[in-house]
Amino acid sequence: MAKMTMIKAINAALDEEIKRDDKVLVFGEDVGKNGGVFRATEDLQANNGEDRVFDTPLAESGIIGLATGLALEGFRPVPELQFFGFVFEAMDEIAGQISREPFRMGGTRKMPITIRAAFGGGVHTPELHSDSLEGLITQTPGIRVVVPSNPYDAKGLMISAIRSDDPVLFLEHMKLYRSFKEEVPDEAYTVPLDKADVKRDGQDVTIITYGAMVRDSLAAADELAKEGIDTEVVDLRTISPLDHETILNSVKKTGHVVLVQEAQKQAGVSGQVAALIAEEGILSLDAPIGRVSAPDTPYPFSMAEDAWLPNQTDIINKVKEIVNF
Amino acid sequence: MSEKIDFNSLLYSPDKAPLNVLDPEGNVVNPDLMPDLDNDQLVELFKQMLWARILNDRSTKLNRQGRLGFFAPTAGEEASQIGSNFAMEKDDFLLPAYRDVPQLILHGLPLSKAFLWSLGHVDGNKYPDEFQAMPPQIIIGAQYVQTAGVALGLKIKGSKNVAYTYTGDGGTSQGDFYEGINFTGAYKAPALFMVQNNKYAISVPRKVQTAAPTLAQKAVAAGIPGIQVDGMDALAVYSAAKQSRDWITAGNGPVLIETLTYRYGPHTLSGDDPKRYRTKDEEEEWHAKDPLTRMRNFLEKKKLWDDDQEKAWTDDVNQQIDAAIEEAEKAEEQKVSDFLKTTYVDAPPAIQEEIDEYTAKEND
């Protein structure tokens, strides 16, 4: 065990999988000698060779197209999109091609591709770096979308994603990269895909969230506890397809639910979670479903992030509103 | 004769006419480019072209009868499609566009599966592991970026094979077209990029796509060789493709070939009417360059082909088509539960719920 940041945990997972499976290839813009713009791929090329970890021309569709072709040749590609705001350039290859390929070929081909991308607000990036665009891909059948909230999950989920025979979009929140350290086992281990995780047990109200909002929700839960509100926090981890069982069990137990996401209200996955609860858990509810999300504008100018991004206070207020409904 | 050809002599330059071997009467006008094919191979090449023409004509009729679905006519493009495919090998990886079904079948896809693809049945896209091809690509340009990946994979594995792909003149305007050739060039990966310039992207003439005087010169932007060839001349197309393949497998990286060709029919049979945008004169001009007539004249002069052979082969092909469409029509009804089962290799629980739900419905 060692104390690691999330970025270190991701780096360790990539290094272990490259060494374990000679079909694993890591590539993207500046991931080679430079070690990635966030150092996620630091030393991977030096330790594993230019055939396994390499730079690409600056073109996102080309990068994901490259992954598609390499998968057809039996490789296990782990391409990087430098910032997820650049996904629009690669939407066809992700949503139009990779996600459909096994279905399209009647299960005779697979696409074991893990697309890594940084996203998320709070670090004053320039335009189209921080946008939460995960909702675009969660609406696409055939690909899983995974968003870790801490170093331990990040390493285990990354290893599971790379080993999966299905495509995975792996979104890494920039604010979580090195804001805290956590004990992470040195050896390879997996955290299961498709499984949400109850990060905090509670009896009164359920917060369902993912990504950076998990930390804010846990902090909010501590504050709420001081006022006698016992909050359960569910970290979705795999945000598509959703873990129905964990979501519904928690809602059934508490009867109150608040959905928390960093994305705009019309984006993200909260709408989908709300629909699931309305469809299969409505008789457990003692109050309407509460939602905390960003306003429905494009991602803000960086100086306005604090005013725009959902925060701990927003979560606390919404939970109180729902519990006291 | 091909061993004498200097690859560099094939390359596009602004003052050079498209590469050509046969004139419309089937005379060899450029013996330097005459490919090294024996008589049996020459006859086989023509038989494949004739097969493709018959398949086109029959597919059109079957579509009109409602026995086929989506169909993009190929008549007029036989030299371009078949001549290039004829230069490739069995384990080369084919990434076709929606009009490139003939190459896919000649590369090994059973005809009945090609018909199932047209009809919209998943069985048409179930390919054996060893079949080195993808189903026809509908998103114009996507096959180009994917070819970059297949070619890089072949290079990493040390394979002696190439990836080859096709797009049309309109497709050269796509970003993926440029990214595909540029990536492959940067990695010096083994790929042959074919551009079949039939003068129109649906109704939009080639001149509206770009001010570039040729499409072959787009290779310059990727730093790779570009070749422009008479796409109504099967021997010229074959020669260009074969020489390119040899050059590519020698480790030199990719090549872009533009074939100047023409489709006699509409863009697809889904409602396009070429009379809205093409003149009768233009169509007649291109019919006079017909790739089959040219090749047939050439073979007849060499006493390698006659009317009896033509009739026998035509009957044979028609029988193949009859058998294939009957086979296709026997396909089982598709099930939603099967679609769900192939959407993921390992079904997530949420998908498993839907599999169970639809399976129960289907068994009712």
Side-chain angles (χ1 to χ4, degrees):
Chain A
M1 293 282 256
K3 283 221 167 217
M4 271 186 206
T5 58
M6 190 169 93
I7 195 102
K8 257 294 177 214
I10 288 167
N11 181 271
L14 292 170
D15 193 48
E16 282 161 27
E17 289 307 292
I18 293 168
K19 288 186 165 62
R20 190 187 66 85
D21 182 347
D22 65 5
K23 295 294 185 196
V24 173
L25 302 176
V26 171
F27 52 91
E29 298 157 7
D30 307 291
V31 305
K33 191 170 273 181
N34 192 42
V37 292
F38 294 103
R39 306 285 168 264
T41 55
E42 187 155 46
D43 296 330
L44 294 184
Q45 187 182 70
N47 294 340
N48 300 286
E50 289 179 23
D51 289 345
R52 307 294 304 285
V53 180
F54 52 89
D55 290 321
T56 64
L58 200 168
E60 286 74 18
S61 185
I63 291 169
I64 307 301
L66 201 69
T68 314
L70 286 164
L72 290 170
E73 282 300 310
F75 291 94
R76 206 167 267 278
V78 188
E80 178 183 297
L81 294 175
Q82 202 161 65
F83 294 93
F84 198 55
F86 311 163
V87 69
F88 299 113
E89 304 291 330
M91 272 305 275
D92 175 55
E93 278 304 313
I94 297 174
Q97 306 290 328
I98 287 173
S99 302
R100 299 171 59 91
E101 217 60 82
F103 155 82
R104 175 175 183 249
M105 296 190 71
T108 59
R109 294 294 184 279
K110 56 187 187 183
M111 287 279 127
I113 297 168
T114 302
I115 300 168
R116 297 182 42 248
F119 82 110
V123 291
H124 300 292
T125 60
E127 237 179 334
L128 275 164
H129 283 57
S130 297
D131 297 54
S132 289
L133 300 170
E134 66 277 10
L136 297 174
I137 311 299
T138 62
Q139 295 206 9
T140 304
I143 185 168
R144 285 177 172 83
V145 182
V146 171
V147 188
S149 65
N150 61 76
Y152 179 88
D153 282 355
K155 181 175 173 182
L157 287 167
M158 176 64 80
I159 291 174
S160 294
I162 293 173
R163 293 182 188 178
S164 167
D165 282 338
D166 292 306
V168 176
L169 172 65
F170 198 93
L171 293 173
E172 303 164 6
H173 198 291
M174 282 184 271
K175 205 173 82 181
L176 300 179
Y177 265 154
R178 25 177 80 84
S179 54
F180 65 102
K181 287 185 177 181
E182 212 177 64
E183 290 289 343
V184 174
D186 295 324
E187 69 280 4
Y189 62 91
T190 57
V191 167
L193 303 175
D194 309 325
K195 284 295 289 177
D197 187 39
V198 179
K199 288 281 192 280
R200 185 187 204 279
D201 279 315
Q203 296 299 322
D204 300 335
V205 58
T206 297
I207 290 177
I208 299 173
T209 185
Y210 59 99
M213 288 290 122
V214 173
R215 296 264 288 173
D216 291 295
S217 298
L218 288 168
D222 287 344
E223 291 302 311
L224 288 161
K226 291 176 194 162
E227 300 182 38
I229 298 172
D230 187 14
T231 308
E232 178 146 310
V233 177
V234 175
D235 177 359
L236 290 171
R237 297 197 297 203
T238 296
I239 62 169
S240 181
L242 291 165
D243 175 359
H244 295 186
E245 191 184 5
T246 305
I247 293 168
L248 294 169
N249 282 346
S250 182
V251 171
K252 206 179 208 176
K253 180 170 74 172
T254 65
H256 295 86
V257 60
V258 173
L259 311 178
V260 179
Q261 66 179 19
E262 185 176 314
Q264 294 90 334
K265 197 168 202 172
Q266 70 189 61
V269 296
S270 288
Q272 190 69 17
V273 178
L276 170 73
I277 295 168
E279 207 177 3
E280 296 186 40
I282 198 158
L283 298 179
S284 312
L285 290 179
D286 297 321
I289 297 166
R291 293 171 72 180
V292 175
S293 45
D296 285 320
T297 74
Y299 193 87
F301 296 92
S302 59
M303 286 177 73
E305 273 185 329
D306 288 349
W308 191 90
L309 286 168
N311 59 32
Q312 202 180 310
T313 308
D314 298 329
I315 299 168
I316 290 169
N317 290 342
K318 183 58 74 176
V319 168
K320 285 183 184 170
E321 181 192 322
I322 295 303
V323 170
N324 299 322
F325 178 78
Chain B
M1 279 175 248
S2 61
E3 62 273 17
K4 288 191 216 147
I5 300 174
D6 170 18
F7 180 73
N8 290 313
S9 74
L10 305 177
L11 303 187
Y12 154 82
S13 68
D15 51 353
K16 189 161 161 181
L19 303 182
N20 166 258
V21 173
L22 298 176
D23 70 10
E25 286 71 47
N27 301 306
V28 175
V29 291
N30 188 352
D32 291 346
L33 266 184
M34 181 66 200
D36 188 16
L37 292 171
D38 64 26
N39 288 345
D40 288 348
Q41 289 171 309
L42 290 167
V43 170
E44 175 60 22
L45 173 57
F46 178 69
K47 283 176 78 177
Q48 290 187 7
M49 294 167 69
L50 183 55
W51 165 87
R53 178 66 59 87
I54 298 165
L55 178 63
N56 173 82
D57 296 350
R58 287 291 310 278
S59 297
T60 303
K61 284 190 192 127
L62 288 164
N63 169 284
R64 298 292 185 225
Q65 293 163 359
R67 292 176 77 189
L68 278 185
F70 179 79
F71 177 62
T74 59
E77 301 194 16
E78 292 85 357
S80 171
Q81 294 186 323
I82 312 303
S84 55
N85 191 71
F86 203 69
M88 299 294 126
E89 294 190 2
K90 181 179 160 284
D91 287 327
D92 290 342
F93 199 114
L94 169 61
L95 294 102
Y98 50 78
R99 201 180 302 283
D100 303 309
V101 177
Q103 298 97 301
L104 197 53
I105 300 165
L106 291 168
H107 201 55
L109 186 74
L111 186 51
S112 59
K113 285 199 179 228
F115 287 155
L116 283 168
W117 175 78
S118 166
L119 285 162
H121 195 295
V122 64
D123 285 358
N125 285 357
K126 285 183 183 166
Y127 289 5
D129 283 347
E130 64 280 4
F131 184 40
Q132 299 295 300
M134 288 296 281
Q137 178 59 253
I138 295 294
I139 301 301
I140 296 170
Q143 71 275 28
Y144 263 54
V145 282
Q146 293 171 1
T147 294
V150 173
L152 180 59
L154 293 170
K155 183 180 175 178
I156 294 171
K157 292 199 287 197
S159 163
K160 283 283 145 210
N161 287 103
V162 304
Y164 67 115
T165 188
Y166 295 81
T167 193
D169 40 306
T172 61
S173 301
Q174 288 280 1
D176 277 358
F177 166 83
Y178 169 68
E179 290 184 32
I181 61 175
N182 186 58
F183 268 61
T184 314
Y187 291 124
K188 241 185 175 188
L192 177 63
F193 293 99
M194 298 292 300
V195 173
Q196 304 189 101
N197 174 2
N198 64 22
K199 294 173 70 82
Y200 293 91
I202 306 187
S203 67
V204 179
R206 141 75 181 87
K207 278 195 166 55
V208 177
Q209 298 297 337
T210 175
T214 72
L215 300 177
Q217 75 192 85
K218 295 201 168 218
V220 173
I224 66 171
I227 295 172
Q228 192 188 45
V229 56
D230 178 348
M232 306 301 266
D233 178 348
L235 296 182
V237 174
Y238 172 85
S239 226
K242 178 72 169 70
Q243 296 301 319
S244 295
R245 191 186 180 282
D246 289 349
W247 195 80
I248 294 161
T249 53
N252 294 306
V255 177
L256 180 74
I257 296 178
E258 174 191 10
T259 59
L260 297 171
T261 183
Y262 200 76
R263 61 170 155 79
Y264 297 152
H267 165 67
T268 67
L269 294 189
S270 314
D272 175 42
D273 177 10
K275 286 197 197 76
R276 294 167 73 99
Y277 54 86
R278 296 197 308 211
T279 63
K280 206 167 175 346
D281 284 353
E282 182 187 287
E283 292 192 1
E284 278 168 10
E285 175 199 331
W286 283 86
H287 275 283
K289 298 179 188 171
D290 190 277
L292 270 82
T293 308
R294 201 181 291 207
M295 193 68 186
R296 189 187 286 112
N297 288 342
F298 167 74
L299 293 178
E300 282 177 357
K301 281 185 220 291
K302 287 172 76 87
K303 306 268 182 254
L304 293 172
W305 193 254
D306 59 32
D307 289 349
D308 289 345
Q309 277 168 287
E310 178 121 350
K311 176 159 193 330
W313 180 232
T314 302
D315 290 346
D316 189 348
V317 174
N318 275 310
Q319 278 168 23
Q320 290 174 28
I321 293 169
D322 290 339
I325 192 73
E326 279 166 32
E327 177 70 25
E329 285 170 344
K330 278 189 243 162
E332 280 184 32
E333 208 171 305
Q334 302 175 90
K335 285 196 253 171
V336 174
S337 61
D338 288 335
F339 292 154
L340 284 160
K341 284 176 195 165
T342 53
T343 295
Y344 295 87
V345 176
D346 297 308
I351 300 298
Q352 189 57 50
E353 280 179 29
E354 291 188 34
I355 293 174
D356 297 343
E357 184 190 325
Y358 279 90
T359 304
K361 240 191 255 180
E362 286 155 4
N363 293 339
D364 257 356

Short mmCIF file of all heavy atoms in Angstrom, two decimals, chain A residues 98-130:
data_model
loop_
_atom_site.label_atom_id
_atom_site.label_comp_id
_atom_site.label_asym_id
_atom_site.label_seq_id
_atom_site.Cartn_x
_atom_site.Cartn_y
_atom_site.Cartn_z
N ILE A 98 -17.36 2.68 -32.87
CA ILE A 98 -16.90 1.73 -31.85
C ILE A 98 -18.07 1.13 -31.05
O ILE A 98 -18.15 -0.08 -30.86
CB ILE A 98 -15.93 2.43 -30.88
CG1 ILE A 98 -14.59 2.66 -31.58
CG2 ILE A 98 -15.73 1.63 -29.60
CD1 ILE A 98 -13.62 3.50 -30.76
N SER A 99 -18.99 2.01 -30.62
CA SER A 99 -20.09 1.54 -29.76
C SER A 99 -21.00 0.56 -30.48
O SER A 99 -21.65 -0.26 -29.85
CB SER A 99 -20.92 2.74 -29.28
OG SER A 99 -20.10 3.64 -28.58
N ARG A 100 -21.08 0.68 -31.79
CA ARG A 100 -22.01 -0.14 -32.58
C ARG A 100 -21.39 -1.42 -33.13
O ARG A 100 -22.12 -2.31 -33.57
CB ARG A 100 -22.50 0.65 -33.79
CG ARG A 100 -23.23 1.91 -33.49
CD ARG A 100 -23.45 2.70 -34.77
NE ARG A 100 -24.20 1.94 -35.74
CZ ARG A 100 -25.52 1.97 -35.84
NH1 ARG A 100 -26.22 2.74 -35.06
NH2 ARG A 100 -26.15 1.25 -36.74
N GLU A 101 -20.07 -1.47 -33.20
CA GLU A 101 -19.41 -2.50 -34.01
C GLU A 101 -19.79 -3.94 -33.63
O GLU A 101 -20.14 -4.73 -34.50
CB GLU A 101 -17.90 -2.30 -33.96
CG GLU A 101 -17.20 -2.60 -35.26
CD GLU A 101 -17.68 -1.74 -36.42
OE1 GLU A 101 -17.22 -0.60 -36.55
OE2 GLU A 101 -18.54 -2.22 -37.17
N PRO A 102 -19.74 -4.31 -32.34
CA PRO A 102 -20.08 -5.71 -32.01
C PRO A 102 -21.53 -6.04 -32.39
O PRO A 102 -21.81 -7.09 -32.97
CB PRO A 102 -19.87 -5.77 -30.50
CG PRO A 102 -18.88 -4.68 -30.22
CD PRO A 102 -19.24 -3.58 -31.18
N PHE A 103 -22.45 -5.14 -32.11
CA PHE A 103 -23.86 -5.31 -32.50
C PHE A 103 -23.97 -5.41 -34.02
O PHE A 103 -24.63 -6.29 -34.56
CB PHE A 103 -24.66 -4.11 -31.99
CG PHE A 103 -25.91 -3.81 -32.75
CD1 PHE A 103 -27.08 -4.51 -32.48
CD2 PHE A 103 -25.93 -2.84 -33.75
CE1 PHE A 103 -28.24 -4.25 -33.20
CE2 PHE A 103 -27.08 -2.57 -34.47
CZ PHE A 103 -28.24 -3.28 -34.20
N ARG A 104 -23.30 -4.48 -34.69
CA ARG A 104 -23.41 -4.38 -36.13
C ARG A 104 -22.91 -5.64 -36.84
O ARG A 104 -23.41 -6.00 -37.90
CB ARG A 104 -22.56 -3.17 -36.54
CG ARG A 104 -22.42 -2.92 -38.00
CD ARG A 104 -21.65 -1.62 -38.19
NE ARG A 104 -21.55 -1.30 -39.60
CZ ARG A 104 -20.41 -1.35 -40.29
NH1 ARG A 104 -19.28 -1.65 -39.69
NH2 ARG A 104 -20.42 -1.06 -41.56
N MET A 105 -21.94 -6.28 -36.23
CA MET A 105 -21.39 -7.49 -36.84
C MET A 105 -21.89 -8.75 -36.14
O MET A 105 -21.27 -9.81 -36.21
CB MET A 105 -19.87 -7.41 -36.88
CG MET A 105 -19.40 -6.26 -37.79
SD MET A 105 -17.64 -6.25 -38.14
CE MET A 105 -17.47 -7.68 -39.23
N GLY A 106 -23.03 -8.62 -35.50
CA GLY A 106 -23.69 -9.79 -34.92
C GLY A 106 -22.83 -10.52 -33.90
O GLY A 106 -22.91 -11.75 -33.78
N GLY A 107 -22.00 -9.76 -33.19
CA GLY A 107 -21.17 -10.37 -32.15
C GLY A 107 -19.92 -11.08 -32.69
O GLY A 107 -19.21 -11.73 -31.93
N THR A 108 -19.62 -10.90 -33.98
CA THR A 108 -18.43 -11.58 -34.52
C THR A 108 -17.15 -10.77 -34.35
O THR A 108 -16.07 -11.25 -34.64
CB THR A 108 -18.60 -11.92 -36.02
OG1 THR A 108 -18.82 -10.71 -36.77
CG2 THR A 108 -19.79 -12.86 -36.24
N ARG A 109 -17.27 -9.52 -33.91
CA ARG A 109 -16.08 -8.71 -33.60
C ARG A 109 -16.31 -8.03 -32.25
O ARG A 109 -17.44 -7.80 -31.85
CB ARG A 109 -15.85 -7.63 -34.67
CG ARG A 109 -15.49 -8.15 -36.05
CD ARG A 109 -14.14 -8.85 -36.10
NE ARG A 109 -13.81 -9.26 -37.46
CZ ARG A 109 -14.26 -10.35 -38.06
NH1 ARG A 109 -15.10 -11.16 -37.43
NH2 ARG A 109 -13.91 -10.65 -39.30
N LYS A 110 -15.20 -7.70 -31.57
CA LYS A 110 -15.33 -6.93 -30.33
C LYS A 110 -14.42 -5.71 -30.39
O LYS A 110 -13.51 -5.65 -31.21
CB LYS A 110 -15.03 -7.81 -29.12
CG LYS A 110 -13.67 -8.46 -29.16
CD LYS A 110 -13.49 -9.45 -28.02
CE LYS A 110 -12.05 -9.94 -28.03
NZ LYS A 110 -11.77 -10.94 -27.02
N MET A 111 -14.71 -4.75 -29.54
CA MET A 111 -13.99 -3.48 -29.51
C MET A 111 -13.48 -3.22 -28.09
O MET A 111 -14.05 -2.41 -27.35
CB MET A 111 -14.94 -2.35 -29.94
CG MET A 111 -15.29 -2.32 -31.41
SD MET A 111 -13.99 -1.55 -32.39
CE MET A 111 -13.68 -2.80 -33.60
N PRO A 112 -12.42 -3.94 -27.68
CA PRO A 112 -11.92 -3.76 -26.30
C PRO A 112 -11.07 -2.50 -26.16
O PRO A 112 -9.86 -2.57 -25.96
CB PRO A 112 -11.09 -5.04 -26.09
CG PRO A 112 -10.62 -5.42 -27.45
CD PRO A 112 -11.64 -4.91 -28.44
N ILE A 113 -11.74 -1.37 -26.24
CA ILE A 113 -11.06 -0.07 -26.26
C ILE A 113 -11.42 0.71 -25.00
O ILE A 113 -12.58 0.74 -24.60
CB ILE A 113 -11.50 0.73 -27.51
CG1 ILE A 113 -11.08 -0.01 -28.79
CG2 ILE A 113 -10.94 2.16 -27.49
CD1 ILE A 113 -11.72 0.54 -30.05
N THR A 114 -10.43 1.32 -24.36
CA THR A 114 -10.70 2.21 -23.22
C THR A 114 -10.26 3.61 -23.62
O THR A 114 -9.07 3.86 -23.82
CB THR A 114 -9.93 1.76 -21.96
OG1 THR A 114 -10.31 0.42 -21.65
CG2 THR A 114 -10.23 2.68 -20.78
N ILE A 115 -11.23 4.50 -23.77
CA ILE A 115 -10.92 5.89 -24.13
C ILE A 115 -10.80 6.70 -22.85
O ILE A 115 -11.76 6.80 -22.08
CB ILE A 115 -12.03 6.48 -25.02
CG1 ILE A 115 -12.18 5.66 -26.30
CG2 ILE A 115 -11.74 7.96 -25.33
CD1 ILE A 115 -13.43 5.98 -27.10
N ARG A 116 -9.63 7.25 -22.60
CA ARG A 116 -9.42 8.10 -21.41
C ARG A 116 -9.57 9.56 -21.81
O ARG A 116 -9.10 9.96 -22.88
CB ARG A 116 -8.01 7.90 -20.85
CG ARG A 116 -7.68 6.52 -20.34
CD ARG A 116 -6.25 6.50 -19.77
NE ARG A 116 -6.00 7.70 -18.99
CZ ARG A 116 -5.15 8.67 -19.33
NH1 ARG A 116 -4.41 8.57 -20.39
NH2 ARG A 116 -5.02 9.74 -18.57
N ALA A 117 -10.18 10.34 -20.93
CA ALA A 117 -10.27 11.78 -21.19
C ALA A 117 -10.42 12.55 -19.89
O ALA A 117 -11.12 12.10 -18.97
CB ALA A 117 -11.45 12.09 -22.12
N ALA A 118 -9.76 13.70 -19.82
CA ALA A 118 -9.87 14.59 -18.66
C ALA A 118 -11.05 15.53 -18.85
O ALA A 118 -11.34 15.95 -19.96
CB ALA A 118 -8.58 15.38 -18.50
N PHE A 119 -11.73 15.84 -17.75
CA PHE A 119 -12.85 16.78 -17.81
C PHE A 119 -13.02 17.37 -16.41
O PHE A 119 -12.32 17.00 -15.48
CB PHE A 119 -14.15 16.07 -18.24
CG PHE A 119 -14.86 15.37 -17.12
CD1 PHE A 119 -16.07 15.84 -16.62
CD2 PHE A 119 -14.28 14.26 -16.50
CE1 PHE A 119 -16.71 15.20 -15.56
CE2 PHE A 119 -14.91 13.61 -15.44
CZ PHE A 119 -16.13 14.09 -14.97
N GLY A 120 -13.98 18.26 -16.27
CA GLY A 120 -14.40 18.69 -14.93
C GLY A 120 -13.92 20.09 -14.56
O GLY A 120 -12.85 20.53 -14.97
N GLY A 121 -14.74 20.77 -13.76
CA GLY A 121 -14.48 22.17 -13.46
C GLY A 121 -13.82 22.41 -12.13
O GLY A 121 -13.59 21.50 -11.35
N GLY A 122 -13.51 23.70 -11.90
CA GLY A 122 -12.94 24.11 -10.63
C GLY A 122 -11.46 24.42 -10.71
O GLY A 122 -10.84 24.74 -9.70
N VAL A 123 -10.88 24.30 -11.91
CA VAL A 123 -9.43 24.56 -12.02
C VAL A 123 -9.13 25.66 -13.05
O VAL A 123 -8.01 25.79 -13.52
CB VAL A 123 -8.64 23.26 -12.34
CG1 VAL A 123 -8.67 22.33 -11.14
CG2 VAL A 123 -9.17 22.52 -13.56
N HIS A 124 -10.17 26.46 -13.38
CA HIS A 124 -9.97 27.64 -14.23
C HIS A 124 -9.30 27.36 -15.57
O HIS A 124 -8.34 28.02 -15.96
CB HIS A 124 -9.20 28.73 -13.47
CG HIS A 124 -9.90 29.18 -12.23
ND1 HIS A 124 -11.09 29.88 -12.27
CD2 HIS A 124 -9.62 28.98 -10.92
CE1 HIS A 124 -11.48 30.12 -11.03
NE2 HIS A 124 -10.62 29.57 -10.18
N THR A 125 -9.80 26.36 -16.26
CA THR A 125 -9.25 26.05 -17.59
C THR A 125 -9.80 27.03 -18.60
O THR A 125 -10.80 27.70 -18.36
CB THR A 125 -9.69 24.64 -18.04
OG1 THR A 125 -11.12 24.61 -18.10
CG2 THR A 125 -9.19 23.57 -17.10
N PRO A 126 -9.18 27.08 -19.79
CA PRO A 126 -9.79 27.84 -20.89
C PRO A 126 -11.04 27.12 -21.43
O PRO A 126 -11.39 26.04 -20.96
CB PRO A 126 -8.70 27.92 -21.94
CG PRO A 126 -7.65 26.95 -21.53
CD PRO A 126 -7.90 26.50 -20.14
N GLU A 127 -11.65 27.75 -22.43
CA GLU A 127 -12.91 27.24 -23.00
C GLU A 127 -12.85 25.77 -23.42
O GLU A 127 -11.82 25.30 -23.92
CB GLU A 127 -13.23 28.07 -24.26
CG GLU A 127 -14.58 28.72 -24.20
CD GLU A 127 -14.85 29.56 -25.44
OE1 GLU A 127 -13.90 30.02 -26.09
OE2 GLU A 127 -16.04 29.75 -25.73
N LEU A 128 -13.95 25.07 -23.23
CA LEU A 128 -14.14 23.70 -23.73
C LEU A 128 -13.10 22.70 -23.23
O LEU A 128 -12.70 21.78 -23.94
CB LEU A 128 -14.19 23.69 -25.27
CG LEU A 128 -15.59 23.99 -25.83
CD1 LEU A 128 -15.55 24.36 -27.29
CD2 LEU A 128 -16.52 22.79 -25.61
N HIS A 129 -12.64 22.90 -22.00
CA HIS A 129 -11.76 21.92 -21.36
C HIS A 129 -12.50 21.18 -20.23
O HIS A 129 -12.24 20.03 -19.97
CB HIS A 129 -10.53 22.60 -20.75
CG HIS A 129 -9.48 22.98 -21.74
ND1 HIS A 129 -9.73 23.79 -22.81
CD2 HIS A 129 -8.16 22.66 -21.80
CE1 HIS A 129 -8.60 23.95 -23.51
NE2 HIS A 129 -7.63 23.27 -22.92
N SER A 130 -13.40 21.90 -19.57
CA SER A 130 -13.99 21.39 -18.33
C SER A 130 -15.41 20.86 -18.48
O SER A 130 -15.95 20.29 -17.54
CB SER A 130 -13.99 22.51 -17.28
OG SER A 130 -12.67 22.90 -16.97
#
